[in-house]
Amino acid sequence: MSVGPFVDVDAGPSRARPAAGPSVAFHHHRGAWPPPRVEAWRPEDGREEKNVAIEVRGLSKKYGSFQAVNDVSFEVESGKLVALLGPSGSGKSTILRTIAGLESADSGSVMLTGEDATDLPVQQRGVGFVFQHYALFRHMTIRDNIGFGLKIRGVPRAEARRRVDELLDLIQLGGYANRYPSQLSGGQRQRVALARALAPRPKVLLLDEPFGALDAKVRDELRTWLRRLHDEVHVTSLFVTHDQREAFEVSDQIVVLAEGRVRQIGPPQTLYEQPADPFVAGFLGAINVLPLRSLKAGSVGGGPEEWLDMPPAEHAEAYVRPHDLDVFAARDGKPYWPARVERITPLGGVVRLDLRIAPEHPLYIEVPRDRSNGVGFATGDEVYVCPRHINIYDRVRGSFDPVDVHRAIGLSLESGAGI
Amino acid sequence: MPPDLEPEPTAAPLAFELPLKGREEASGWGRRLLIAAVLAWFAILILVPGAALVRQAFAKGWQPLAAALIDPEVRRVFALSLGLAAVATAVNTVFGIAMALVLVRQRFFGRTLIDGVVDLPFAVSPIVAGLMLIVLYGPESPIGGWLDARGIQVIYALPGMVLATTFVTVPFVVRELAPILRELGEEYEQAAHTLGAGRWRTFWSVTLPSIRWGVAYGVTLTVGRCLGEFGAVLVVSGNVIGQTQTATLYIADGVESFHPEGAYAASLVLAAASFVLLVGMDALRHRLEGAREVTS
Amino acid sequence: MEAGSIFSRRRPSPELLLRGAGLSYLGVMVVLPLLAMAWQATAPGPAAFWAAVTEPYAWHALKLTFLTAFVMMAVGAVTGTATAWVLVRYEFPGRGLVNALIDLPFAVPTVVTGVMLVALYGPDSVVGAILADAGWKVIYDQPGIILALLFVTYPFVIRSVQPVLLAMDRAEEEAAATLGAGPCATFFQVVLPSLWPSILTGSALAFSRALGEYGSVVMVAGNQPLLTRTAPIHVFGEIESGNRHGALAVSAVLLAASLLILVALHALQRRGEARDAS
C-alpha cells in the first residue's frame, strides 16, 4: 500500500537489530531508554518480568464542580505503545497532562520508571510531549526546534548537532533543517514535533491527540509511520485519542475512559470482542442493541431461547456488531429473524443494510459487497437475519455473556455464508 | 487487522472541553511580585495623579468649584469646545464613512498610498499641524490672501480652529470602520443588490446598520480627541480671550496665571467627560465584539 | 469595482463619485497642508535649512525631544509588556478595573494630564516637597517631561501586546517546559521572540507620539530654553516670535522622523503577514 514518502523508516537493513546501524544509537546513549526487546531485559531490582514505565495510582482532579478525573489507576509497560481512548470530556487529556506535570492532580500519584514523580516539576520529569497543534516554536528553524531540549540541558554543541541530524534523518526531513515551521505541511510539522520530543531521550513519550489536527489521509499515513517508528525505537509511549480506529491501529494496549473513570484496559481485540460494559461495546465500534424479550415476542418461532442454554433474563439485551450478522433470502426452517429492508447504502467495499426487525427495532448490518450482490436485495424485501456472534448483556448483573450462535444452533460457517 | 469500524453514533461527546483557566504556575512569589510592580506603576502614573487633580479641585470645598463652573467665561469656553467638536465630528464622520468604503470596497491605483495618508495626522505633532494650517491659510499665503481680500479670516479665527480640530481627528472613524467593513465582506450588500435594492437603499438599510457600532466607536474617539485638542488649536487660534479660547486653552492660561481655581474646575470637568467617554467606549467595544461573534 | 454595472448608466458611476469625494476631502484636509509645509520648509535651500536646525536652541530642543522619547520608549516597552502579561495571564483583584482604565491617557486631554501631574508632583504638593527634599526635581525639569510622555503613551505597548498574548498558544510554553526549560528560559527564548513585533509596534507608535507631544509637556516642563524646551515647544515659540523659517525647519525634522517610523512599521507588518501567511 502507498503510505507516502516516509514509510520506509524500517525498510533498510537496520531492521536486523540489535546489531550496529545508524538507528541503534537510540538505544545505547545514556541508557535512558528501555532496550528494544522487553523480554530480553531484566530490571536489576529483581522485579518480575513486567517492567512498568508509567504507573498512575488513584488520580483524581476536579475543575470547580466538574470531576474531570475520578480515581484513575493504570500502568504502562516499558516499551509499549498504549492508547488512552475516550470521548471528549472523559479526562484523558487531563490524565496525560498530569503525567507530564503540566497539570497537578488533587490526589493520586504518578510513578515514572519506578520513581515517584508526583511532586516533580515538569522540567525534571524527563518526558517527551507531543501536542495536538504541534506547538513548534514559530520563530525557530526546524533544526533549532529539535535541538531546543538539548540546548536547554547543556548538551555540547557537536553532540547536539549529531543528535539533531540523526532525528532529521529519522523523520525524513533532512532537507528542511533551516526552514521555519510555517513553511511545512501539517504532517511534516507533527513529525518535527515528535523529533523535538524525542531529542533529549525522554523516559516516556506522551502524545496528546497527535493526529487530531490533520487531514484524514495524512493522519492515516502518520499513524502507520508512528507505529513503525515505535517498533524501531521502542520508547514507552502513551497517547490520547478519541478515535477508536486510531487506537486500534496503533496501540498494543488500550485504556478506555469515560466521565473521568477507567472503563476497561486491555489489548484492542480483547476489548472489541469482550467489552466490559455497554459503553465500551458502543464506543469501540458500531453495535446493534436489541432487547431479547421483544425479539422473542415478535419473531415467528426461532426465538433466542433456541440458541441459549437458558432463557434470557428479564431485561437482557443482545449486542451484535453489524458485520456479525448474515442475511438470507429464505428461512429454510432455520431459527432466523425475519426483517424488512429499509435502505441499502453501498459504501465501497461493503454494503450497509438498514433493516427493521420485528416489530420496531432498527438493525444495521454490513455485508461484503460481493455477497450482497449475489443476494440482490431491494428496498422493501422480506429477509432473514442470523447473528454469528452476540453478546448478551444482563442489566441486573451488569455483565456480558458472549454466545457463539452458530455453534448453538448447529450451523457451520459454510452454511451461514453459503448463499 | 482491526475490524471495520464506522464513525460511531453512540459515542456522542459527553462534556465541554475543559477551561484552561485556573492553571496556576508554581512560582507564586514571582507572580505576586510582578503583579504588585505592575499595579504600583499603574497607580503612580495614572491613578494617583487623577486623585491629586480631584483633591486639588476640591481643595477649598464645593462652593469655589461651583462658582468657577458657573462663571460665564467658563461656560463660554466649554460652549466653544463643544461647538468645534460637533462640527469636526460631523464632517469626519460623513467623510470617514465614505473614505472607509472607498478604501475597503474599491480597487484603484495608489490605494495603499492613500491608506497610509489617512494615518498621517497621527504622525504629525499638533503644533506642526497648526503650523501647516498657518502656512496654507495664513494671511501671507496665496489662499489666505485671496480669502482675506473677500473678508474671510481663517487663521486666528474660528474657521482655522475648525480646520485644526478636523485635521487631527481625520483618521479615527476611517481606522475604526475599515477593518469592520473588511470583515463584513460584500456578500450582504450583494444580496441586497440581487433583491433589487439600489445603492443608496443598500447603504442605508444594509451597510450602515451593520457598521453602526463601529461608527459609534469612531465618533466617540473623535469627540474625545476634539474636546481635548490643544496644540493645533493653540497655534491657529491666537488665543483671544472671550473669542477664540477653548476649554483646554482656558486651562493652560489659568494654571499659568490668574485663575487656577477655574483651571482646576475645568480640568476636572474635562477629565470626568473623558472618563465617561472611556466607559462608553468600553461598552461599545463589548457591543462590537458581540456583533463580530454573531457575524462569524 | 467597475463591475458596478448592475444598473448601467451613462453618468459617472456612484463608485467614482464616492471615490472622488473621499479623495478630495483627504487631499484638502491632509495632503494640501502637508505639501504647503514641505514646500515652505525646503524653499530657502538646504544650507538655510541646516542652519535653522543646528542653531543652538533648535538643536538642543531636538536633542532633548529625541532623548526623552528614547528613555520613555525603553521604560514603556518593559512596563507595557509586563502590564500586558500580568493582565492577560494572572487573575487578581482589580484586574477588570485596571484593564478598563488603561486607555484613560488616550481619553484625557493632554493639558489636563499636565495639570494632574503638576498637582501631584509639583513643588506645591506634598509629594513634590518630599521629592525636593530628596534632591529630586521632577516638575519643571527633564524628568517631568519623561513622566508626562510615559503617561500619554501608557496604552500603546499594552494595547499592542495584549491581543498577541491572548491569541498565543500556551502549548508552545508547555512544550518548552517538557523539554526542560524553566520559566525564565521559556519567557526569553519562546515567548519574547513571538512578542517582539508587537512590542516594537507599540513602542514605535509611542515614540512617534512622544516626538510631537505638546500639551502635557508644556504644562509639566515649562518653557525654559536649553533645559526643558522640547522641539514642539520650540516650534511654538518660533511661530509666536515670527521666525517662520526656524519653526518650519524643526517641524520638518519632527515630521520626517514620524513618517519614517510609520513607513517602517508598515514594512514590518507586511513582512510579518508574509511570514505568517502560509
Side-chain angles (χ1 to χ4, degrees):
Chain A
M1 64 183 166
S2 156
V3 253
F6 49 81
V7 288
D8 50 344
V9 177
D10 58 356
S14 64
R15 231 196 157 161
R17 68 191 52 252
S23 49
V24 175
F26 282 103
H27 315 298
H28 289 204
H29 275 240
R30 296 185 188 182
W33 281 24
R37 291 285 171 262
V38 180
E39 307 90 327
W41 193 69
R42 289 282 179 277
E44 273 159 42
D45 61 2
R47 247 198 285 173
E48 306 212 331
E49 288 140 61
K50 208 164 69 169
N51 183 32
V52 176
I54 306 173
E55 189 179 344
V56 173
R57 283 280 157 261
L59 213 60
S60 291
K61 171 94 181 173
K62 257 188 173 175
Y63 291 102
S65 63
F66 176 65
Q67 186 83 41
V69 180
N70 194 349
D71 192 20
V72 164
S73 302
F74 64 90
E75 48 194 43
V76 178
E77 268 180 68
S78 276
K80 288 280 197 273
L81 204 158
V82 174
L84 280 177
L85 174 67
S88 69
S90 60
K92 54 193 190 308
S93 278
T94 308
I95 295 169
L96 197 76
R97 295 173 58 86
T98 308
I99 294 171
L102 292 170
E103 226 145 314
S104 58
D106 299 338
S107 59
S109 66
V110 175
M111 308 271 282
L112 293 174
T113 55
E115 288 168 51
D116 189 351
T118 314
D119 297 319
L120 228 48
V122 49
Q123 287 85 357
Q124 290 164 31
R125 292 204 184 189
V127 298
F129 203 98
V130 177
F131 294 83
Q132 178 173 6
H133 296 284
Y134 331 123
L136 295 178
F137 306 129
R138 270 168 295 176
H139 58 281
M140 292 185 201
T141 60
I142 301 310
R143 169 175 295 284
D144 291 344
N145 260 287
I146 298 176
F148 184 84
L150 302 171
K151 193 174 111 193
I152 288 288
R153 290 192 160 84
V155 173
R157 202 171 271 228
E159 197 187 326
R161 202 179 165 81
R162 225 176 14 250
R163 175 78 179 146
V164 173
D165 284 334
E166 248 171 53
L167 284 159
L168 280 167
D169 283 346
L170 184 79
I171 60 168
Q172 310 255 310
L173 287 175
Y176 293 75
N178 294 318
R179 299 218 186 165
Y180 285 91
S182 61
Q183 296 167 302
L184 265 54
S185 74
Q188 289 171 330
R189 286 183 214 183
Q190 197 54 295
R191 277 186 277 152
V192 174
L194 198 65
R196 181 180 68 179
L198 288 174
R201 302 175 204 282
K203 292 183 208 158
V204 297
L205 183 64
L206 306 172
L207 306 99
D208 191 359
E209 302 257 6
F211 314 121
L214 300 167
D215 296 343
K217 187 169 175 294
V218 181
R219 189 157 58 210
D220 283 351
E221 291 172 4
L222 213 53
R223 271 209 287 255
T224 316
W225 180 77
L226 176 70
R227 182 66 237 185
R228 294 190 187 198
L229 180 79
H230 183 263
D231 290 346
E232 185 163 344
V233 300
H234 278 277
V235 59
T236 310
S237 305
L238 181 62
F239 82 103
V240 155
T241 180
H242 63 268
D243 181 347
Q244 72 277 24
R245 188 188 150 102
E246 191 164 290
F248 269 98
E249 238 174 71
V250 177
S251 56
D252 302 316
Q253 195 93 359
I254 297 179
V255 179
V256 183
L257 292 158
E259 292 165 320
R261 287 176 181 280
V262 173
R263 290 306 186 87
Q264 197 173 2
I265 302 176
Q269 201 59 30
T270 310
L271 297 194
Y272 190 75
E273 284 166 2
Q274 295 158 32
D277 63 28
F279 173 81
V280 176
F283 194 68
L284 290 186
I287 201 155
N288 294 291
V289 183
L290 303 165
L292 277 178
R293 278 180 57 85
S294 74
L295 264 184
K296 180 186 173 191
S299 50
V300 190
E305 69 277 3
E306 287 191 28
W307 21 269
L308 291 177
D309 295 339
M310 51 179 126
E314 189 66 9
H315 294 295
E317 287 166 329
Y319 281 68
V320 195
R321 301 273 178 205
H323 50 82
D324 273 343
L325 287 146
D326 289 312
V327 190
F328 304 93
R331 176 167 240 179
D332 289 338
K334 303 271 183 7
Y336 299 160
W337 303 333
R340 184 173 302 280
V341 180
E342 294 209 316
R343 188 181 162 84
I344 301 172
T345 318
L347 297 169
V350 293
V351 175
R352 172 185 176 137
L353 297 174
D354 285 297
L355 309 179
R356 195 155 286 273
I357 189 165
E360 264 316 310
H361 283 287
L363 185 65
Y364 147 46
I365 298 183
E366 271 178 11
V367 289
R369 192 171 54 96
D370 49 348
R371 217 195 296 175
S372 71
N373 277 351
V375 178
F377 296 125
T379 308
D381 281 358
E382 183 87 5
V383 293
Y384 297 91
V385 181
C386 181
R388 263 172 278 145
H389 179 95
I390 64 170
N391 242 330
I392 307 283
Y393 181 65
D394 188 329
R395 270 180 186 284
V396 181
R397 280 188 297 141
S399 66
F400 275 105
D401 188 8
V403 179
D404 187 332
V405 178
H406 278 201
R407 190 178 307 148
I409 61 174
L411 278 177
S412 71
L413 267 176
E414 288 77 14
S415 67
I419 344 166
Chain B
M1 274 299 282
D4 257 348
L5 297 174
E6 272 287 295
E8 178 46 49
T10 55
L14 290 178
F16 43 89
E17 278 306 313
L18 298 173
L20 290 180
K21 260 190 186 172
R23 210 195 296 156
E24 297 279 320
E25 260 112 283
S27 55
W29 275 112
R31 190 179 71 231
R32 264 174 250 172
L33 213 65
L34 195 61
I35 293 174
V38 162
L39 286 181
W41 182 245
F42 177 76
I44 290 172
L45 209 56
I46 313 289
L47 277 190
V48 181
L53 173 69
V54 175
R55 212 187 78 107
Q56 190 76 259
F58 284 104
K60 289 168 192 154
W62 279 99
Q63 281 85 2
L65 180 70
L69 285 180
I70 52 169
D71 180 58
E73 173 104 28
V74 172
R75 282 180 7 217
R76 193 160 49 234
V77 298
F78 272 104
L80 183 56
S81 276
L82 284 173
L84 284 177
V87 176
T89 304
V91 173
N92 272 332
T93 304
V94 172
F95 283 98
I97 293 172
M99 219 38 238
L101 281 170
V102 170
L103 283 177
V104 174
R105 295 279 188 262
Q106 300 191 9
R107 295 276 169 281
F108 54 92
F109 180 74
R111 196 180 57 99
T112 327
L113 184 72
I114 301 295
D115 200 46
V117 169
V118 169
D119 280 335
L120 270 180
F122 279 161
V124 176
S125 168
I127 294 291
V128 176
L131 179 60
M132 281 179 182
L133 293 175
I134 291 186
V135 168
L136 187 61
Y137 299 106
E140 295 137 60
S141 72
I143 299 178
W146 188 83
L147 288 169
D148 223 17
R150 275 145 197 81
I152 304 170
Q153 202 192 351
V154 178
I155 299 304
Y156 309 127
L158 216 54
M161 297 167 74
V162 171
L163 278 174
T165 313
T166 313
F167 175 90
V168 296
T169 51
V170 160
F172 286 107
V173 173
V174 187
R175 275 292 150 258
E176 199 49 47
L177 287 186
I180 295 174
L181 277 171
R182 203 168 290 135
E183 205 170 309
L184 193 65
E186 278 177 85
E187 284 170 26
Y188 297 99
E189 288 155 35
Q190 285 164 351
H193 287 316
T194 63
L195 292 169
R199 284 166 202 293
W200 195 240
R201 183 75 193 275
T202 303
F203 173 76
W204 279 109
S205 55
V206 176
T207 312
L208 197 56
S210 332
I211 60 173
R212 63 184 189 280
W213 296 118
V215 174
Y217 195 77
V219 165
T220 315
L221 285 172
T222 309
V223 170
R225 181 65 203 271
C226 286
L227 287 179
E229 183 46 41
F230 176 60
V233 173
L234 173 69
V235 172
V236 298
S237 73
N239 202 0
V240 184
I241 294 168
Q243 283 179 35
T244 59
Q245 197 172 45
T246 63
T248 48
L249 299 183
Y250 172 82
I251 292 170
D253 254 9
V255 167
E256 279 165 19
S257 51
F258 34 89
H259 41 66
E261 298 81 24
Y264 283 126
S267 290
L268 192 65
V269 172
L270 275 187
S274 57
F275 186 79
V276 169
L277 284 174
L278 191 73
V279 172
M281 270 155 59
D282 207 45
L284 281 171
R285 204 164 38 222
H286 285 297
R287 284 275 184 156
L288 271 173
E289 275 152 21
R292 211 162 285 169
E293 269 157 34
V294 171
T295 47
S296 61
Chain C
M1 24 98 202
E2 264 77 25
S5 48
I6 306 169
F7 315 92
S8 48
R9 290 174 192 167
R10 267 175 231 139
R11 285 190 288 143
S13 81
E15 272 89 0
L16 227 52
L17 282 174
L18 187 70
R19 195 193 309 167
L23 294 187
S24 312
Y25 171 68
L26 207 60
V28 171
M29 277 316 299
V30 181
V31 179
L32 203 59
L34 195 76
L35 288 181
M37 196 196 93
W39 165 255
Q40 289 259 317
T42 51
F49 180 86
W50 185 244
V53 170
T54 51
E55 173 262 326
Y57 287 102
W59 188 245
H60 183 271
L62 280 171
K63 264 196 330 201
L64 178 66
T65 301
F66 279 91
L67 182 75
T68 48
F70 262 119
V71 174
M72 175 282 299
M73 188 166 73
V75 177
V78 175
T79 55
T81 308
T83 306
W85 175 269
V86 165
L87 283 178
V88 171
R89 288 297 173 85
Y90 303 144
E91 275 303 342
F92 57 92
R95 176 170 172 243
L97 182 78
V98 173
N99 192 34
L101 290 183
I102 293 288
D103 288 323
L104 200 64
F106 280 167
V108 173
T110 52
V111 173
V112 177
T113 301
V115 173
M116 278 186 191
L117 292 176
V118 173
L120 178 61
Y121 298 105
D124 302 335
S125 73
V126 180
V127 180
I130 295 172
L131 288 173
D133 281 348
W136 284 46
K137 198 174 170 223
V138 176
I139 301 301
Y140 307 130
D141 205 344
Q142 292 176 356
I145 301 176
I146 295 169
L147 192 67
L149 294 181
L150 280 169
F151 182 97
V152 296
T153 59
Y154 183 72
F156 280 106
V157 174
I158 300 173
R159 289 303 187 217
S160 168
V161 171
Q162 220 175 6
V164 180
L165 265 178
L166 271 173
M168 191 179 274
D169 187 3
R170 298 284 298 262
E172 268 185 56
E173 290 155 58
E174 293 176 348
T178 61
L179 291 166
C184 276
T186 303
F187 181 79
F188 285 106
Q189 296 187 36
V190 175
V191 178
L192 204 54
S194 310
L195 290 185
W196 266 129
S198 61
I199 296 176
L200 209 64
T201 304
S203 301
L205 288 173
F207 187 82
S208 166
R209 170 74 197 266
L211 290 185
E213 179 55 26
Y214 176 75
S216 60
V217 172
V218 79
M219 301 299 290
V220 166
N223 178 1
Q224 305 165 62
L226 300 182
L227 178 64
T228 61
R229 198 172 188 177
T230 63
I233 301 176
H234 177 80
V235 171
F236 183 66
E238 298 293 79
I239 296 171
E240 293 283 89
S241 60
N243 180 6
R244 174 74 65 85
H245 186 245
L248 280 169
V250 175
S251 295
V253 173
L254 285 182
L255 193 61
S258 282
L259 285 185
L260 209 67
I261 290 168
L262 215 65
V263 170
L265 275 185
H266 264 273
L268 184 84
Q269 259 158 16
R270 197 80 53 80
R271 226 188 61 186
E273 277 160 25
R275 204 186 64 175
D276 295 341
S278 50

